[in-house]
Amino acid sequence: VIGKRFHSCCVVVKNMQRCIYAIPSSSVFPRDTISRIEKNSTSSDASLSLRATLHELSSGLKSEVAEKLSDLNVSNFVMTPVKRNYAFERTDVPIGEQYVLKINYPYKDPAVPADLRGDHFHALLGTNNSALELFLIKRKIKGPSWLSISKFVACPSTQRVSWCKFEVTVDSPKDISVLMTSNTLEVPPVVVAAVNLKTIINEKHNVHEIVSASVICCHQVKIDTPMRSEDWQKRGTISHFTVMRKLEGSIFPIGLTKEASDRNQKAGSNVLALESSERALLNRLMIELSKLDCDVLVGHNISGFDLDVLLHRAQTCKVPSSMWSKIGRLRRSVMPRLTKGNTLYGSGASPGIMSCIAGRLLCDTYLCSRDLLREVSYSLTQLAETQLKKDRREVSPHDIPPMFQSAGTLLKLVEYGETDAWLSLELMFHLSVLPLTRQLTNISGNLWGKTLQGARAQRVEYLLLHSFHAKKFIIPDKFAARNKELNSAKRKLNADTEGGNAADGAADPSIDDEVHHGDQGKARKGPSYAGGLVLEPKKGLYDKYILLLDFNSLYPSIIQEFNICFTTVERSSDGNLPNLPTSKASGVLPELLKSLVERRRMVKSWLKTASGLKRQQFDIQQQALKLTANSMYGCLGFSNSRFFAKPLAELITLQGREILQNTVDLVQNNLNLEVIYGDTDSIMIYTGLDDISKAKAIAGKVIQEVNKKYRCLEIDLDGVYKRMLLLKKKKYAAIKVALDGSLRENIERKGLDMVRRDWSLLSKEIGDFCLNQILSGGTCDDVVESIHNSLVQVQAQMKKW
RNA sequence: GCGCGGAGCGA
DNA sequence: ATTACTATGGTCGCTCCGCGC
Ligand SMILES: [Mg+2]
Ligand SMILES: [Mg+2]
């Protein structure tokens, strides 16, 4: 901090040590010897002698390892016998607690092959762990937070690796710790720069060339709470500029130069810079960006367009690396391969591009909107209209060259560019992207940048890495040899779903709630195990009260209820469905979920009494905790996940199906109520009553009966429907009555064509009209007539066209 | 009815 | 016109559309 401003600082951590584990043959630490000496070693000097004994026992192992390491040109290593747990999928590592040999040596030395074996050890784990991951896990760094950095030395400017304001070096990762007293420190603001490029198309090479770049910069952005527009738009905390260039072989239109200098003079800074070439434009842009030294780059489809164009043009125009690399915070000398994989639209920036902006976060509001909103289109124009209530003028690259004919139109172009940057920025605030992703990151302990990219699997991966590490587990390697099963099991499963699909041939999932929408692009793989049970709906129009009961967070609750974990469920090597655990000891996953649920409960209790920004902060935190708990199951069933455990995922969904079926049976057979539908974690009960309080009383009874069967699982009344049209599985609409006593009514539409974005507006509007009529409560004749009339009218209107 | 491909809703 | 998982991408269930047989 200088004065009241925060600045960037790069910390170079030297001497990172690899941490690998050799799994000894059973003869190295004989079980009876170990338990005998452990029993005696309760006092401290006895533990000294324990250590001595362990070193003694492992001497053969150690010398063998030492020899093999030396063969591999690894010289500076330390070996220590330690007690660790294992609970994962490798069959060559015993499950449970045991002594293993920990080997530390510098990352500078080469990684040893993962399949290295010896007479005294039969497996090696952690050989390829990344230094960054190890650092975060060992130092227990869970997302952005204050760190204490001790014994650092400032780096002379000639040896810097970064463009940061400060750069220091520490000699050991242990010089860095999470600052425990950080609650007393203010959360620093971040600098956010919104970028928008305007390009023309070079027909010959079929590439975009940049003619203008606009940047809007917010210097005081909060990351702990959402910000209202009046706060982030406060004068003095925001700045902007546009860099523009003339078209090749032509000059700027008359009056532009004068206008630019007037504007700059008036603003007291370069708000409009005119350059003579694309290369000069890029140079200027990089200089201005490096002055801003922003923490976050934001833009609409910035990862799919602007950054890509920017770097490709820098390459083509031979912008020196000392310039283009300022787009990030690391100094770089060679341009990485910009396109590698990821040519799919909407899948984020390529790794090469991401590496260029190292040190800055990337917030693509196109990708964020796809994740957080449901819209028929995610264009900036559409989002500006529906989300921000603003008009946006669309400018295609083909419209641009003519705009160079007059100063007036060219200034319009500047305005459009700056407006687009502004709208994207506004969208970012509107969606609270930074507070939400920061919170998610602090819960899981991964990298913030990855959360911004989506990377749900990695979030869960880090959450589990931290948890298992804290309990002294050896963590599964990233590229475990998972060559066994693969596709063989999946075929079989699809083939032998016994019974038709009447009431039991269904599957299961993970109970997503509101969020997570836009899903274009990625072709889904076929399912590899059964998911949630979907009851056959009793189709029809219901006009008396219907109860919607729904289990809260079904899968997280199942994991806790049945203590499902890597550490508790015995899995056979053939990948068959395991039995429920009998173990009393709580597993790691259940404990983890319990703590997430408890934290959420606490935050929600604060939320009740808080107000204003504090309240919004708690709300975000609460959402993030729920999201995290709910996404864990998905990763157990994710074949590329480091913690892939299909048997566990399968066991969870099986419990889900049984619980739903048992609930249906109880409600129908014991309570004599009519269940008309249910999906995965919910049941709908037709009460046949006109009296809402009687209906609610029934709900209370059902809830009581169901909940007393379980320890963690909890069913709750999710809604009361006054009338409902039930068409098919996952397709229905209903008038939902508010439960807060206000009796407000609202039509809920699920799965119907009118909620899908692949139907025309006209079709959706007509559908909605029909639905309103059908649910209006009018007589059948009236409804039919009204719909018929309306359709005739539409037909007439269409004929006029 | 089967197969393939494509949509994106639902939990 | 075609398409190879050195990195990486959360799960499954249920319509709809369109082609070919
Ligand atoms: Mg639920
Ligand atoms: Mg539900």
Side-chain angles (χ1 to χ4, degrees):
Chain A
V1 184
I2 302 177
K4 292 212 93 175
R5 275 198 64 192
F6 288 87
H7 292 273
S8 61
C9 177
C10 173
V11 181
V12 177
V13 181
K14 301 256 184 203
N15 300 317
M16 278 294 296
Q17 297 279 307
R18 291 179 194 270
C19 179
I20 68 183
Y21 295 100
I23 309 303
S25 314
S26 51
S27 56
V28 176
F29 301 110
R31 204 155 273 281
D32 48 333
T33 319
I34 293 295
S35 58
R36 194 180 63 241
I37 50 178
E38 272 187 344
K39 213 173 285 175
N40 301 335
S41 68
T42 42
S43 70
S44 64
D45 55 277
S47 93
L48 256 176
S49 82
L50 167 64
R51 245 182 299 166
T53 316
L54 288 170
H55 271 290
E56 213 169 283
L57 288 171
S58 59
S59 63
L61 169 61
K62 284 196 289 188
S63 49
E64 185 181 29
V65 170
E67 196 179 315
K68 292 196 183 282
L69 288 178
S70 304
D71 288 350
L72 292 158
N73 288 324
V74 176
S75 47
N76 290 317
F77 49 84
V78 177
M79 296 181 289
T80 329
V82 291
K83 201 188 225 177
R84 288 292 183 271
N85 288 306
Y86 187 77
F88 303 100
E89 312 310 291
R90 280 184 65 155
T91 45
D92 52 350
V93 182
I95 300 297
E97 210 176 33
Q98 64 176 318
Y99 280 96
V100 298
L101 189 66
K102 184 174 81 169
I103 305 153
N104 292 114
Y105 71 88
Y107 265 92
K108 271 186 291 213
D109 291 336
V112 300
D115 57 359
L116 190 66
R117 304 275 181 278
D119 295 337
H120 297 85
F121 66 101
H122 54 257
L124 224 45
L125 284 91
T127 51
N128 253 320
N129 268 4
S130 91
L132 176 60
E133 175 189 301
L134 193 70
F135 173 73
L136 293 175
I137 301 300
K138 288 235 163 201
R139 302 315 298 152
K140 301 180 175 32
I141 297 170
K142 295 191 170 187
S145 66
W146 283 102
L147 298 176
S148 139
I149 296 160
S150 50
K151 294 187 268 177
F152 61 85
V153 292
C155 184
S157 52
T158 51
Q159 293 165 28
R160 296 230 171 154
V161 299
S162 80
W163 297 112
C164 289
K165 177 92 178 175
F166 301 102
E167 185 170 318
V168 300
T169 302
V170 294
D171 268 332
S172 158
K174 295 195 172 166
D175 293 329
I176 296 180
S177 318
V178 172
L179 198 59
M180 285 310 173
T181 56
S182 61
N183 344 357
T184 60
L185 285 169
E186 104 178 81
V187 175
V190 297
V191 179
V192 177
V195 180
N196 182 270
L197 301 184
K198 292 295 174 218
T199 61
I200 55 175
I201 294 177
N202 177 330
E203 305 283 355
K204 197 164 126 211
H205 297 111
N206 195 27
V207 291
H208 288 267
E209 294 180 354
I210 304 166
V211 293
S212 154
S214 299
V215 174
I216 311 248
C217 185
C218 274
H219 299 261
Q220 300 273 337
V221 176
K222 281 174 167 286
I223 55 169
D224 48 344
T225 69
M227 284 180 93
R228 299 172 306 171
S229 349
E230 54 267 42
D231 292 329
W232 65 265
Q233 292 170 14
K234 213 159 55 190
R235 274 186 69 83
T237 65
I238 207 160
S239 64
H240 71 97
F241 66 86
T242 291
V243 190
M244 191 164 233
R245 59 123 170 155
K246 56 191 173 198
L247 296 185
E248 218 157 313
S250 95
I251 54 166
F252 280 122
I254 316 233
L256 187 72
T257 318
K258 169 91 166 59
E259 177 66 24
S261 65
D262 285 354
R263 287 187 181 193
N264 295 337
Q265 192 140 41
K266 196 170 155 202
S269 66
N270 270 330
V271 292
L272 181 53
L274 303 180
E275 300 291 346
S276 57
S277 69
E278 192 178 10
R279 181 185 151 103
L281 177 150
L282 286 164
N283 274 326
R284 169 59 72 99
L285 177 63
M286 293 303 162
I287 288 169
E288 296 298 332
L289 281 177
S290 85
K291 277 194 240 164
L292 294 174
D293 189 21
C294 65
D295 302 294
V296 185
L297 286 163
V298 52
H300 202 68
N301 198 22
I302 185 174
S303 65
F305 180 74
D306 303 62
L307 273 185
D308 190 71
V309 171
L310 197 69
L311 291 166
H312 273 109
R313 294 315 294 167
Q315 196 168 38
T316 313
C317 298
K318 303 201 162 57
V319 173
S321 64
S322 60
M323 278 308 199
W324 63 254
S325 77
K326 288 182 175 168
I327 188 75
R329 277 174 167 156
L330 274 188
R331 292 167 185 261
R332 307 194 52 136
S333 49
V334 287
M335 182 75 78
R337 241 179 92 172
L338 297 176
T339 53
K340 205 182 172 193
N342 272 5
T343 46
L344 269 147
Y345 180 68
S347 55
S350 72
I353 289 175
M354 289 312 288
S355 73
C356 289
I357 60 161
R360 307 193 204 281
L361 298 171
L362 187 63
C363 172
D364 187 328
T365 51
Y366 166 70
L367 298 177
C368 290
S369 301
R370 262 186 12 175
D371 253 22
L372 300 169
L373 302 169
R374 191 169 66 196
E375 289 281 348
V376 41
S377 146
Y378 296 92
S379 68
L380 189 54
T381 307
Q382 166 87 11
L383 290 166
E385 185 187 321
T386 60
Q387 297 292 317
L388 310 174
K389 314 291 173 211
K390 287 192 174 162
D391 252 359
R392 169 176 179 262
R393 176 70 183 276
E394 286 206 47
V395 186
S396 105
H398 300 285
D399 304 334
I400 290 178
M403 298 181 86
F404 275 77
Q405 282 165 15
S406 84
T409 49
L410 210 41
L411 289 168
K412 276 283 169 202
L413 183 60
V414 173
E415 185 191 317
Y416 298 150
E418 293 183 353
T419 304
D420 285 356
W422 179 271
L423 290 173
S424 179
L425 192 60
E426 203 173 339
L427 213 43
M428 181 192 82
F429 284 109
H430 180 75
L431 299 173
S432 296
V433 177
L434 295 182
L436 179 62
T437 53
R438 184 192 76 109
Q439 203 53 245
L440 285 168
T441 308
N442 280 139
I443 292 166
S444 295
N446 58 323
L447 294 175
W448 193 357
K450 289 287 179 183
T451 307
L452 279 163
Q453 283 175 50
R456 281 177 275 272
Q458 210 211 40
R459 247 163 50 212
V460 175
E461 181 179 328
Y462 270 77
L463 180 69
L464 299 189
L465 287 176
H466 281 289
S467 294
F468 279 103
H469 174 80
K471 303 202 169 172
K472 294 223 168 287
F473 277 81
I474 301 178
I475 275 143
D477 278 333
K478 210 147 192 196
F479 284 121
R482 277 196 278 275
N483 22 3
K484 24 182 178 175
E485 41 199 336
L486 242 47
N487 305 9
S488 57
K490 97 170 50 159
R491 301 284 143 71
K492 183 182 147 244
L493 192 136
N494 288 345
D496 61 40
T497 38
E498 69 265 24
N501 48 352
D504 70 341
D508 104 280
S510 91
I511 296 45
D512 277 23
D513 283 37
E514 279 73 89
V515 261
H516 169 258
H517 295 118
D519 248 24
Q520 33 201 31
K522 37 205 149 172
R524 254 203 314 164
K525 298 178 301 190
S528 81
Y529 61 93
L533 173 61
V534 184
L535 304 180
E536 192 58 40
K538 296 186 181 172
K539 298 168 191 169
L541 177 63
Y542 295 84
D543 60 357
K544 297 195 186 343
Y545 283 112
I546 290 152
L547 302 171
L548 172 58
L549 298 166
D550 186 307
F551 282 98
N552 299 327
S553 302
L554 181 66
Y555 291 171
S557 302
I558 287 174
I559 293 173
Q560 293 175 78
E561 181 84 27
F562 301 104
N563 196 23
I564 294 174
C565 186
F566 298 90
T567 63
T568 55
V569 176
E570 269 188 57
R571 311 184 289 293
S572 62
S573 53
D574 53 15
N576 281 344
L577 190 75
N579 293 321
L580 281 175
T582 48
S583 139
K584 277 272 182 294
S586 245
V588 179
L589 297 186
E591 282 290 313
L592 178 56
L593 284 169
K594 188 173 153 209
S595 92
L596 290 174
V597 169
E598 275 168 8
R599 279 167 70 185
R600 175 156 184 254
R601 213 191 311 267
M602 204 187 305
V603 173
K604 281 183 93 171
S605 78
W606 297 336
L607 193 132
K608 280 196 184 109
T609 58
S611 63
L613 286 182
K614 216 54 196 165
R615 187 191 167 83
Q616 292 177 38
Q617 182 184 351
F618 289 145
D619 193 45
I620 293 246
Q621 209 170 340
Q622 172 272 120
Q623 284 175 41
L625 285 161
K626 178 174 181 168
L627 276 173
T628 305
N630 278 342
S631 56
M632 219 164 77
Y633 150 78
C635 291
L636 297 178
F638 175 37
S639 53
N640 282 333
S641 165
R642 192 154 167 192
F643 290 92
F644 178 44
K646 195 164 82 171
L648 296 190
E650 234 174 332
L651 186 57
I652 292 165
T653 60
L654 173 63
Q655 299 312 311
R657 291 191 297 275
E658 285 184 354
I659 286 163
L660 183 61
Q661 190 58 58
N662 291 343
T663 307
V664 171
D665 293 346
L666 180 124
V667 169
Q668 284 186 160
N669 304 339
N670 299 18
L671 302 173
N672 289 315
L673 295 166
E674 186 184 5
V675 176
I676 57 172
Y677 182 56
D679 185 345
T680 307
D681 66 341
S682 68
I683 54 168
M684 290 184 189
I685 299 173
Y686 184 57
T687 63
L689 296 170
D690 282 316
D691 183 339
I692 191 166
S693 54
K694 280 189 187 152
K696 281 191 189 172
I698 290 178
K701 178 70 182 161
V702 176
I703 290 169
Q704 194 189 342
E705 288 303 312
V706 174
N707 285 348
K708 75 180 178 198
K709 290 171 58 177
Y710 305 105
R711 193 165 49 88
C712 306
L713 278 158
E714 205 176 45
I715 204 168
D716 205 354
L717 182 61
D718 218 53
V720 175
Y721 294 152
K722 191 170 167 184
R723 276 191 281 278
M724 168 154 99
L725 179 65
L726 180 50
L727 293 181
K728 277 190 181 306
K729 285 181 174 179
K730 299 181 191 277
K731 295 196 181 211
Y732 62 89
I735 301 177
K736 189 173 192 171
V737 185
L739 291 172
D740 56 12
S742 71
L743 293 183
R744 275 194 321 269
E745 295 181 357
N746 177 32
I747 296 189
E748 213 167 68
R749 306 157 175 83
K750 298 286 188 183
L752 302 175
D753 294 342
M754 70 193 72
V755 306
R756 300 168 58 102
R757 57 178 200 265
D758 51 0
W759 286 83
S760 74
L761 187 58
L762 176 64
S763 146
K764 291 197 273 195
E765 278 171 357
I766 294 172
D768 212 34
F769 174 80
C770 297
L771 184 61
N772 273 291
Q773 293 302 307
I774 291 167
L775 293 177
S776 69
T779 68
C780 186
D781 287 348
D782 289 350
V783 169
V784 169
E785 191 184 333
S786 151
I787 289 176
H788 184 259
N789 289 343
S790 154
L791 289 178
V792 168
Q793 229 179 316
V794 171
Q795 186 192 36
Q797 281 177 339
M798 287 182 70
K799 277 187 177 158
K800 262 198 290 189
W801 270 78

